[in-house]
Amino acid sequence: MKVLKKRISRAVLIAIIFAIVTSTALGFLTIAVNAPETEPVYNNYLYSSDYMHDVTDLYTQLWVATNMYLANIDENGNYTVNEYHQAALEKLFGEWGIVKDGWVVLDNFENLEYHAVCGNTDLSNTDNTIEDLRNTGYAFEATYNGTIYPTNGGFYGLPECQVYNTSYGLTQYVVNGTVYNVYDFDTANLPYYYEDRLKYYYKTDGSTPLPSSDDLILDCTPYFIYDTSQLSEVLGDIMQNNIEDARIFRVDENGYTIALYDLEAHKWIEVRAEGNMFSSPGNYGIARNDIRICIAPTRSVILNYEENENILSDYYTKETRYLIALCAFLAMAFVIAVVYWVFCGYDVKQGRYRLSFLDKMFTEVYLAAFAFLVFFAVVLIDEFLGGIGMYGYWYNYASEAFADSLLSDMFIRITLSAGVGAAAITGVLVTGAIINKFKTKHFIKDSLIFKLLKILWRITKKAFKVVKNAFFSFGRATHTAFMKRFLLRLIILSAIAFVMLLLTMDPEVFIVVCVLLAIVYVFFEVVDAVSIAKLTERIENIRNGDYSVTDVKEWDVNYKAQQDLNNISESVTKVVEEQIKSERMKIDLVTNVSHDLKTPLTSITSYVDLLSKEDLPDEAKDYVNILIRKTERLNAMIGDLFDLAKATSETDVKLEELDAVILVRQVLADMEDKINRYGRDVRLEILPQSVKVIGEGKKLYRIIQNVVDNALKYSLENTRIYLTLTENENEAIITVKNIASYEMDFTGDEITERFVRGSKSRTGEGNGLGLSIAKSFTQACGGSFTVTPDGDVFTAEIRLKKV
Amino acid sequence: MTPTTENAVILVVDDDRDIVNAICKLLEIEGFKTIKAYDGMQALDCLAQNDIQLILMDVMMPKLDGLSAMMKIRQSRNIPIIVLSAKSEDTDKILGLSIGADDYVTKPYNPMELVARVRSNLRRYLSLGSAGETMGKMDIKNGSLSVDKAAKQLYIDGEPVRLTATEYKIVELLMENAGRVFSAEEIYSKCWKEESYAVENTVMVHIRHIREKIEINPAEPKYLKVVWGIGYKIEKF
């Protein structure tokens, strides 16, 4: 696995993704084009609910016609039942409309063929025999021995139709589930009871069964007695209450009613029914064994139905194949996806998993996408795949219509497939990203919730720290004199107030004491406040340079702080004094050295001058001239050195406000002779009208003079010197640029060091102090001086503070 | 013999004998008589014993330093004293001049300048009486400088100086307001009577020329000074 992983390079991963994309796209496109058309529509009679209703109605009519009418009529058309039974039947037939004026009337069912045989009578609407009907395999046949159901087509239950005969003159017809009682005797004026909302008449002469006590509903008050000794009691009760409609039954030990007491004759009538009272004609509701009912669809209906069935069968076969192909494709896509999930995020170079550019977003984004895709898939399976119908069974009409409309349009089909394909690819990539987050242990780390929690945790921690620090600093503060006194006062005063309250237990005294204590407290606080004010004032004085020592009483709350300030002041004073002293010594030293150098130099100058006045040979005169020049230079150098030392110690700067524009012009005018002598062209560019700067005039003059001097001395012949004056918000900037006559092998910092000259030979004019004096003087005036050698271009920049 | 500028006696005081000798020699070449002293005490002695018209005095000397000696001298005499010192600080110069020096020359001096200053001081001291008459006519006086407005003439220690018309106008303006600083524009508009524009150079050139005519050492002017970054003025004495 590890070796394999190493071989999976990024390219292979991309190839896998590409394979998923293309195969998914192609697969869904193929499926979209090849998926079977819409399921055929069932428009045959046999599929419809009418068929069931028609059969039910027809069977009921045929059953009534045979079992109730034909079975009770002889060959001559006379009723074989007594007049009471006949009247009841005629009443029912009248209600149902099956028999009219001695004729059997049946509804006309076009799609159904039937035979209803009763003895020699055959009711039929067809030329086909029962045999023919039976052979279609779609017929069902009801006989005395039971019902034969169709072998082809749908199964429909026949309505419940039965007949029951009793031994005492009651015939019960059950037609389509409803029970009708028909009596062979006159029921007028007979007592009755209800059972299942059906009226049961009975005679009290013992020829009919009496109702049992369980289900008796009488239109009189029944009395049941279990012992004849109870009779007199019951009779007395009836008499006393003047109850007219009362019946008294005697009940045996088994709970059966055995006798009825005749209140008028004052004697018991035995009413117990004997034997089996009901005799059922058969199991399947046909009263006589010569009755046969057969119903079948017509031939044309059957043929049409079978044709439909074949088309459907073809459709299902095709659809099943399509579904298998779809499943195979899905399985393949899943395998590729799994391969992708295994290898995604593996970095071959680093030999470990890491997040790719696809996986950089928050975890929740992927989870949300994943949840959405799952939802999408469920909806799709429910609405679409369910709609195609694994077994031709529709979930509901809505989805049927939905799938129908979708599948019927090729464009929608392709669009939908592309959508599903894109969703599938997104699903694979999103799942891959989630898996990769697990692999790199970034699942939690990358989640927005985790990050928010982390931030929350950090804030909490910080807040806790702040609270902790506040607590500790309060704790520390209690060690200062201030807090100590505050707490001590608070405790003592509270204690006094509390003790006073305990001693007197008088609230008025307590309030007075509290007010007094408050006054005392305020007094102390005022004393402390005064002390703080003094301290603040003193710190301000120190800031302004007053380092005088202050005497403070030891009881003062700021005693320690004041003492500390005293110490600080003393130290500062001492340091400042020492510094001033050392500065003075430095200047003295420089002054003395300079004096000591100047004295012999004065002699030299004097004598060289005297010598030059002598009448000397020409050669000697030349020598004297050299001496004059060199002494002059030595003098200038000593002066420069002295100036430099002074500038560095910064003791002697008289800052004033002056105009840099005027200054520059003055200096250049002042140096005009020298500039002319050197033959350089100074190009002056002054942008502002006037720039007020801070500095000491003499020093600034010296700075610009030195810089221009430097440019004259070290610039290439026949080049120009550019002097510009610009300004920004805070500074005036004077820039001098020239082309160096030699190669500049130094940095800007080096050249402004003392005694450094661009050309290292030290033979030319100049003493190497010019730029360093310029720098020192600029700094002494609060400005900055920089030199930038850039190729052969030498740039000196003087920045002076504006007013 | 009444002392004149040409035969004046000069006392040279310095603890460095070589310097004293060199100065004396220099002055003698120029025709002055010299007396040497090597410290402040000797200088006081020499002054008491001789008729001296000018003193050249070093500051740092043994026994009695230059400043103390000068203070003593100034108690009784008002002869010109030129301080000759290696101290070149402004504060030193101010101190020396305020104690009673008439001039201050820093070491190492320029021999020509030194001689010129000696002459200048002598001239003012010695020709005070006759100068008084001429000076009386003068409209503006400031130190050695004086201006005769009617003649449009500038005098240094009574000696007329040749100035061009414009130079004279500038000098007169600055002299009338000695101590006040004038910007180049102001000077231009007042002396040229024209609208001024970028005149710094023009004015500065004239100033330089004037300086060369009236200052003994133009590099370190005594009267006509440039106030850097502001303008120009003539120092008020």
mmCIF file of all heavy atoms in Angstrom, chain A residues 411-448:
data_model
loop_
_atom_site.group_PDB
_atom_site.id
_atom_site.type_symbol
_atom_site.label_atom_id
_atom_site.label_comp_id
_atom_site.label_asym_id
_atom_site.label_seq_id
_atom_site.Cartn_x
_atom_site.Cartn_y
_atom_site.Cartn_z
ATOM 1 N N PHE A 411 -34.502 16.857 -23.666
ATOM 2 C CA PHE A 411 -33.655 17.962 -23.214
ATOM 3 C C PHE A 411 -33.585 17.991 -21.678
ATOM 4 O O PHE A 411 -32.524 18.064 -21.088
ATOM 5 C CB PHE A 411 -34.217 19.283 -23.734
ATOM 6 C CG PHE A 411 -33.469 20.476 -23.187
ATOM 7 C CD1 PHE A 411 -32.172 20.750 -23.631
ATOM 8 C CD2 PHE A 411 -34.030 21.293 -22.217
ATOM 9 C CE1 PHE A 411 -31.489 21.823 -23.137
ATOM 10 C CE2 PHE A 411 -33.338 22.364 -21.724
ATOM 11 C CZ PHE A 411 -32.060 22.634 -22.186
ATOM 12 N N ILE A 412 -34.800 17.883 -21.070
ATOM 13 C CA ILE A 412 -34.840 17.893 -19.605
ATOM 14 C C ILE A 412 -34.067 16.707 -19.074
ATOM 15 O O ILE A 412 -33.340 16.798 -18.086
ATOM 16 C CB ILE A 412 -36.301 17.866 -19.114
ATOM 17 C CG1 ILE A 412 -36.946 19.205 -19.450
ATOM 18 C CG2 ILE A 412 -36.381 17.604 -17.624
ATOM 19 C CD1 ILE A 412 -38.394 19.276 -19.105
ATOM 20 N N ARG A 413 -34.216 15.591 -19.779
ATOM 21 C CA ARG A 413 -33.535 14.382 -19.335
ATOM 22 C C ARG A 413 -32.028 14.569 -19.315
ATOM 23 O O ARG A 413 -31.347 14.257 -18.349
ATOM 24 C CB ARG A 413 -33.878 13.257 -20.306
ATOM 25 C CG ARG A 413 -34.318 11.989 -19.582
ATOM 26 C CD ARG A 413 -34.228 10.895 -20.517
ATOM 27 N NE ARG A 413 -35.518 10.611 -21.113
ATOM 28 C CZ ARG A 413 -35.749 9.462 -21.740
ATOM 29 N NH1 ARG A 413 -34.799 8.566 -21.861
ATOM 30 N NH2 ARG A 413 -36.916 9.225 -22.241
ATOM 31 N N ILE A 414 -31.496 15.189 -20.411
ATOM 32 C CA ILE A 414 -30.041 15.406 -20.487
ATOM 33 C C ILE A 414 -29.608 16.408 -19.426
ATOM 34 O O ILE A 414 -28.639 16.209 -18.703
ATOM 35 C CB ILE A 414 -29.653 15.886 -21.900
ATOM 36 C CG1 ILE A 414 -29.824 14.732 -22.873
ATOM 37 C CG2 ILE A 414 -28.205 16.377 -21.921
ATOM 38 C CD1 ILE A 414 -29.683 15.131 -24.308
ATOM 39 N N THR A 415 -30.388 17.486 -19.311
ATOM 40 C CA THR A 415 -30.058 18.501 -18.301
ATOM 41 C C THR A 415 -30.039 17.880 -16.913
ATOM 42 O O THR A 415 -29.106 18.073 -16.133
ATOM 43 C CB THR A 415 -31.115 19.618 -18.332
ATOM 44 O OG1 THR A 415 -31.327 19.982 -19.670
ATOM 45 C CG2 THR A 415 -30.653 20.806 -17.525
ATOM 46 N N LEU A 416 -31.065 17.097 -16.644
ATOM 47 C CA LEU A 416 -31.169 16.475 -15.322
ATOM 48 C C LEU A 416 -29.990 15.540 -15.092
ATOM 49 O O LEU A 416 -29.372 15.538 -14.030
ATOM 50 C CB LEU A 416 -32.498 15.700 -15.227
ATOM 51 C CG LEU A 416 -32.861 15.243 -13.830
ATOM 52 C CD1 LEU A 416 -33.278 16.427 -12.985
ATOM 53 C CD2 LEU A 416 -33.989 14.229 -13.878
ATOM 54 N N SER A 417 -29.657 14.757 -16.140
ATOM 55 C CA SER A 417 -28.539 13.827 -16.015
ATOM 56 C C SER A 417 -27.244 14.586 -15.751
ATOM 57 O O SER A 417 -26.445 14.199 -14.896
ATOM 58 C CB SER A 417 -28.402 13.012 -17.285
ATOM 59 O OG SER A 417 -29.573 12.278 -17.498
ATOM 60 N N ALA A 418 -27.051 15.668 -16.515
ATOM 61 C CA ALA A 418 -25.840 16.473 -16.313
ATOM 62 C C ALA A 418 -25.818 17.000 -14.881
ATOM 63 O O ALA A 418 -24.790 16.962 -14.209
ATOM 64 C CB ALA A 418 -25.804 17.616 -17.303
ATOM 65 N N GLY A 419 -26.969 17.454 -14.427
ATOM 66 C CA GLY A 419 -27.073 17.953 -13.051
ATOM 67 C C GLY A 419 -26.711 16.885 -12.050
ATOM 68 O O GLY A 419 -25.916 17.092 -11.135
ATOM 69 N N VAL A 420 -27.295 15.691 -12.280
ATOM 70 C CA VAL A 420 -27.015 14.584 -11.365
ATOM 71 C C VAL A 420 -25.542 14.227 -11.424
ATOM 72 O O VAL A 420 -24.895 14.001 -10.399
ATOM 73 C CB VAL A 420 -27.890 13.371 -11.720
ATOM 74 C CG1 VAL A 420 -27.458 12.158 -10.928
ATOM 75 C CG2 VAL A 420 -29.339 13.670 -11.449
ATOM 76 N N GLY A 421 -24.974 14.232 -12.671
ATOM 77 C CA GLY A 421 -23.552 13.922 -12.830
ATOM 78 C C GLY A 421 -22.696 14.925 -12.068
ATOM 79 O O GLY A 421 -21.807 14.547 -11.304
ATOM 80 N N ALA A 422 -22.994 16.199 -12.282
ATOM 81 C CA ALA A 422 -22.228 17.238 -11.588
ATOM 82 C C ALA A 422 -22.352 17.066 -10.085
ATOM 83 O O ALA A 422 -21.364 17.161 -9.351
ATOM 84 C CB ALA A 422 -22.738 18.609 -12.005
ATOM 85 N N ALA A 423 -23.569 16.758 -9.638
ATOM 86 C CA ALA A 423 -23.791 16.550 -8.199
ATOM 87 C C ALA A 423 -22.960 15.370 -7.720
ATOM 88 O O ALA A 423 -22.351 15.420 -6.649
ATOM 89 C CB ALA A 423 -25.267 16.325 -7.927
ATOM 90 N N ALA A 424 -22.906 14.303 -8.546
ATOM 91 C CA ALA A 424 -22.158 13.111 -8.149
ATOM 92 C C ALA A 424 -20.670 13.441 -8.026
ATOM 93 O O ALA A 424 -20.026 13.092 -7.031
ATOM 94 C CB ALA A 424 -22.371 12.000 -9.173
ATOM 95 N N ILE A 425 -20.151 14.180 -9.028
ATOM 96 C CA ILE A 425 -18.724 14.547 -8.989
ATOM 97 C C ILE A 425 -18.452 15.416 -7.770
ATOM 98 O O ILE A 425 -17.524 15.184 -7.002
ATOM 99 C CB ILE A 425 -18.336 15.300 -10.268
ATOM 100 C CG1 ILE A 425 -18.394 14.339 -11.438
ATOM 101 C CG2 ILE A 425 -16.935 15.869 -10.149
ATOM 102 C CD1 ILE A 425 -18.498 15.025 -12.768
ATOM 103 N N THR A 426 -19.321 16.417 -7.591
ATOM 104 C CA THR A 426 -19.170 17.277 -6.415
ATOM 105 C C THR A 426 -19.196 16.427 -5.145
ATOM 106 O O THR A 426 -18.400 16.632 -4.237
ATOM 107 C CB THR A 426 -20.313 18.316 -6.366
ATOM 108 O OG1 THR A 426 -20.465 18.855 -7.666
ATOM 109 C CG2 THR A 426 -19.990 19.412 -5.388
ATOM 110 N N GLY A 427 -20.100 15.474 -5.129
ATOM 111 C CA GLY A 427 -20.215 14.591 -3.963
ATOM 112 C C GLY A 427 -18.922 13.852 -3.714
ATOM 113 O O GLY A 427 -18.423 13.811 -2.583
ATOM 114 N N VAL A 428 -18.336 13.304 -4.798
ATOM 115 C CA VAL A 428 -17.072 12.562 -4.650
ATOM 116 C C VAL A 428 -15.991 13.491 -4.120
ATOM 117 O O VAL A 428 -15.276 13.157 -3.165
ATOM 118 C CB VAL A 428 -16.655 11.954 -6.006
ATOM 119 C CG1 VAL A 428 -15.232 11.422 -5.916
ATOM 120 C CG2 VAL A 428 -17.602 10.854 -6.405
ATOM 121 N N LEU A 429 -15.907 14.693 -4.712
ATOM 122 C CA LEU A 429 -14.844 15.616 -4.302
ATOM 123 C C LEU A 429 -15.071 16.093 -2.872
ATOM 124 O O LEU A 429 -14.138 16.185 -2.079
ATOM 125 C CB LEU A 429 -14.790 16.813 -5.257
ATOM 126 C CG LEU A 429 -14.346 16.454 -6.672
ATOM 127 C CD1 LEU A 429 -14.308 17.693 -7.543
ATOM 128 C CD2 LEU A 429 -12.990 15.784 -6.676
ATOM 129 N N VAL A 430 -16.319 16.403 -2.553
ATOM 130 C CA VAL A 430 -16.629 16.880 -1.193
ATOM 131 C C VAL A 430 -16.319 15.783 -0.184
ATOM 132 O O VAL A 430 -15.664 16.018 0.840
ATOM 133 C CB VAL A 430 -18.111 17.311 -1.103
ATOM 134 C CG1 VAL A 430 -18.555 17.415 0.340
ATOM 135 C CG2 VAL A 430 -18.312 18.639 -1.792
ATOM 136 N N THR A 431 -16.749 14.557 -0.486
ATOM 137 C CA THR A 431 -16.443 13.449 0.411
ATOM 138 C C THR A 431 -14.930 13.285 0.526
ATOM 139 O O THR A 431 -14.406 13.068 1.625
ATOM 140 C CB THR A 431 -17.089 12.160 -0.122
ATOM 141 O OG1 THR A 431 -18.407 12.453 -0.516
ATOM 142 C CG2 THR A 431 -17.077 11.079 0.924
ATOM 143 N N GLY A 432 -14.246 13.391 -0.641
ATOM 144 C CA GLY A 432 -12.784 13.279 -0.638
ATOM 145 C C GLY A 432 -12.172 14.335 0.272
ATOM 146 O O GLY A 432 -11.269 14.042 1.051
ATOM 147 N N ALA A 433 -12.697 15.557 0.160
ATOM 148 C CA ALA A 433 -12.161 16.641 0.993
ATOM 149 C C ALA A 433 -12.361 16.328 2.474
ATOM 150 O O ALA A 433 -11.462 16.518 3.288
ATOM 151 C CB ALA A 433 -12.850 17.947 0.636
ATOM 152 N N ILE A 434 -13.566 15.812 2.808
ATOM 153 C CA ILE A 434 -13.840 15.485 4.216
ATOM 154 C C ILE A 434 -12.892 14.375 4.674
ATOM 155 O O ILE A 434 -12.275 14.468 5.746
ATOM 156 C CB ILE A 434 -15.315 15.060 4.387
ATOM 157 C CG1 ILE A 434 -16.231 16.260 4.146
ATOM 158 C CG2 ILE A 434 -15.553 14.491 5.778
ATOM 159 C CD1 ILE A 434 -17.688 15.923 4.073
ATOM 160 N N ILE A 435 -12.735 13.352 3.815
ATOM 161 C CA ILE A 435 -11.835 12.244 4.168
ATOM 162 C C ILE A 435 -10.417 12.763 4.343
ATOM 163 O O ILE A 435 -9.719 12.425 5.306
ATOM 164 C CB ILE A 435 -11.888 11.166 3.073
ATOM 165 C CG1 ILE A 435 -13.239 10.449 3.143
ATOM 166 C CG2 ILE A 435 -10.750 10.163 3.243
ATOM 167 C CD1 ILE A 435 -13.481 9.502 2.012
ATOM 168 N N ASN A 436 -10.009 13.660 3.427
ATOM 169 C CA ASN A 436 -8.649 14.188 3.504
ATOM 170 C C ASN A 436 -8.457 15.008 4.771
ATOM 171 O O ASN A 436 -7.379 15.027 5.352
ATOM 172 C CB ASN A 436 -8.365 15.028 2.273
ATOM 173 C CG ASN A 436 -6.872 15.157 2.034
ATOM 174 O OD1 ASN A 436 -6.108 14.360 2.583
ATOM 175 N ND2 ASN A 436 -6.470 16.127 1.254
ATOM 176 N N LYS A 437 -9.495 15.660 5.195
ATOM 177 C CA LYS A 437 -9.399 16.428 6.441
ATOM 178 C C LYS A 437 -9.159 15.480 7.610
ATOM 179 O O LYS A 437 -8.419 15.790 8.535
ATOM 180 C CB LYS A 437 -10.664 17.253 6.662
ATOM 181 C CG LYS A 437 -10.656 18.539 5.830
ATOM 182 C CD LYS A 437 -11.513 19.595 6.438
ATOM 183 C CE LYS A 437 -11.651 20.806 5.530
ATOM 184 N NZ LYS A 437 -10.464 21.652 5.552
ATOM 185 N N PHE A 438 -9.822 14.313 7.530
ATOM 186 C CA PHE A 438 -9.576 13.308 8.570
ATOM 187 C C PHE A 438 -8.142 12.818 8.497
ATOM 188 O O PHE A 438 -7.469 12.682 9.519
ATOM 189 C CB PHE A 438 -10.545 12.128 8.401
ATOM 190 C CG PHE A 438 -11.854 12.350 9.107
ATOM 191 C CD1 PHE A 438 -13.040 12.468 8.414
ATOM 192 C CD2 PHE A 438 -11.892 12.462 10.489
ATOM 193 C CE1 PHE A 438 -14.234 12.686 9.063
ATOM 194 C CE2 PHE A 438 -13.077 12.677 11.151
ATOM 195 C CZ PHE A 438 -14.247 12.787 10.436
ATOM 196 N N LYS A 439 -7.685 12.547 7.250
ATOM 197 C CA LYS A 439 -6.342 12.005 7.061
ATOM 198 C C LYS A 439 -5.292 12.946 7.641
ATOM 199 O O LYS A 439 -4.318 12.513 8.246
ATOM 200 C CB LYS A 439 -6.060 11.817 5.569
ATOM 201 C CG LYS A 439 -6.762 10.624 4.943
ATOM 202 C CD LYS A 439 -6.396 10.607 3.469
ATOM 203 C CE LYS A 439 -7.149 9.558 2.701
ATOM 204 N NZ LYS A 439 -6.907 9.747 1.253
ATOM 205 N N THR A 440 -5.482 14.247 7.364
ATOM 206 C CA THR A 440 -4.471 15.204 7.811
ATOM 207 C C THR A 440 -4.781 15.742 9.202
ATOM 208 O O THR A 440 -4.129 16.660 9.661
ATOM 209 C CB THR A 440 -4.405 16.386 6.827
ATOM 210 O OG1 THR A 440 -5.734 16.888 6.660
ATOM 211 C CG2 THR A 440 -3.873 15.959 5.490
ATOM 212 N N LYS A 441 -5.773 15.158 9.835
ATOM 213 C CA LYS A 441 -6.181 15.587 11.181
ATOM 214 C C LYS A 441 -6.559 17.055 11.200
ATOM 215 O O LYS A 441 -6.177 17.813 12.096
ATOM 216 C CB LYS A 441 -5.066 15.314 12.189
ATOM 217 C CG LYS A 441 -4.882 13.834 12.394
ATOM 218 C CD LYS A 441 -3.701 13.514 13.253
ATOM 219 C CE LYS A 441 -3.494 12.029 13.335
ATOM 220 N NZ LYS A 441 -2.134 11.644 13.679
ATOM 221 N N HIS A 442 -7.215 17.483 10.127
ATOM 222 C CA HIS A 442 -7.637 18.880 10.038
ATOM 223 C C HIS A 442 -9.143 19.027 10.209
ATOM 224 O O HIS A 442 -9.658 20.118 10.093
ATOM 225 C CB HIS A 442 -7.228 19.466 8.688
ATOM 226 C CG HIS A 442 -5.894 20.119 8.734
ATOM 227 N ND1 HIS A 442 -4.733 19.418 8.559
ATOM 228 C CD2 HIS A 442 -5.532 21.399 8.973
ATOM 229 C CE1 HIS A 442 -3.723 20.245 8.665
ATOM 230 N NE2 HIS A 442 -4.175 21.458 8.928
ATOM 231 N N PHE A 443 -9.810 17.878 10.405
ATOM 232 C CA PHE A 443 -11.269 17.914 10.400
ATOM 233 C C PHE A 443 -11.799 18.888 11.448
ATOM 234 O O PHE A 443 -12.602 19.762 11.176
ATOM 235 C CB PHE A 443 -11.821 16.515 10.648
ATOM 236 C CG PHE A 443 -13.320 16.433 10.527
ATOM 237 C CD1 PHE A 443 -13.919 16.469 9.276
ATOM 238 C CD2 PHE A 443 -14.121 16.345 11.647
ATOM 239 C CE1 PHE A 443 -15.287 16.406 9.163
ATOM 240 C CE2 PHE A 443 -15.487 16.286 11.536
ATOM 241 C CZ PHE A 443 -16.077 16.306 10.287
ATOM 242 N N ILE A 444 -11.277 18.719 12.654
ATOM 243 C CA ILE A 444 -11.720 19.590 13.760
ATOM 244 C C ILE A 444 -11.047 20.951 13.637
ATOM 245 O O ILE A 444 -11.666 21.985 13.801
ATOM 246 C CB ILE A 444 -11.340 18.952 15.113
ATOM 247 C CG1 ILE A 444 -11.886 17.542 15.218
ATOM 248 C CG2 ILE A 444 -11.787 19.829 16.267
ATOM 249 C CD1 ILE A 444 -13.190 17.394 15.899
ATOM 250 N N LYS A 445 -9.741 20.859 13.316
ATOM 251 C CA LYS A 445 -8.928 22.076 13.307
ATOM 252 C C LYS A 445 -9.488 23.112 12.334
ATOM 253 O O LYS A 445 -9.435 24.294 12.587
ATOM 254 C CB LYS A 445 -7.491 21.719 12.908
ATOM 255 C CG LYS A 445 -6.454 22.278 13.881
ATOM 256 C CD LYS A 445 -5.063 22.042 13.371
ATOM 257 C CE LYS A 445 -4.557 20.657 13.707
ATOM 258 N NZ LYS A 445 -3.238 20.377 13.126
ATOM 259 N N ASP A 446 -9.965 22.650 11.180
ATOM 260 C CA ASP A 446 -10.409 23.563 10.125
ATOM 261 C C ASP A 446 -11.851 24.021 10.305
ATOM 262 O O ASP A 446 -12.328 24.821 9.533
ATOM 263 C CB ASP A 446 -10.291 22.885 8.756
ATOM 264 C CG ASP A 446 -8.880 23.024 8.221
ATOM 265 O OD1 ASP A 446 -8.049 23.563 8.975
ATOM 266 O OD2 ASP A 446 -8.629 22.612 7.095
ATOM 267 N N SER A 447 -12.500 23.485 11.326
ATOM 268 C CA SER A 447 -13.922 23.807 11.390
ATOM 269 C C SER A 447 -14.119 25.193 11.987
ATOM 270 O O SER A 447 -13.387 25.622 12.870
ATOM 271 C CB SER A 447 -14.674 22.765 12.217
ATOM 272 O OG SER A 447 -14.682 23.126 13.563
ATOM 273 N N LEU A 448 -15.069 25.885 11.419
ATOM 274 C CA LEU A 448 -15.345 27.270 11.841
ATOM 275 C C LEU A 448 -15.730 27.298 13.314
ATOM 276 O O LEU A 448 -15.278 28.153 14.070
ATOM 277 C CB LEU A 448 -16.483 27.818 10.985
ATOM 278 C CG LEU A 448 -16.809 29.295 11.178
ATOM 279 C CD1 LEU A 448 -15.633 30.134 10.750
ATOM 280 C CD2 LEU A 448 -18.021 29.663 10.372
#
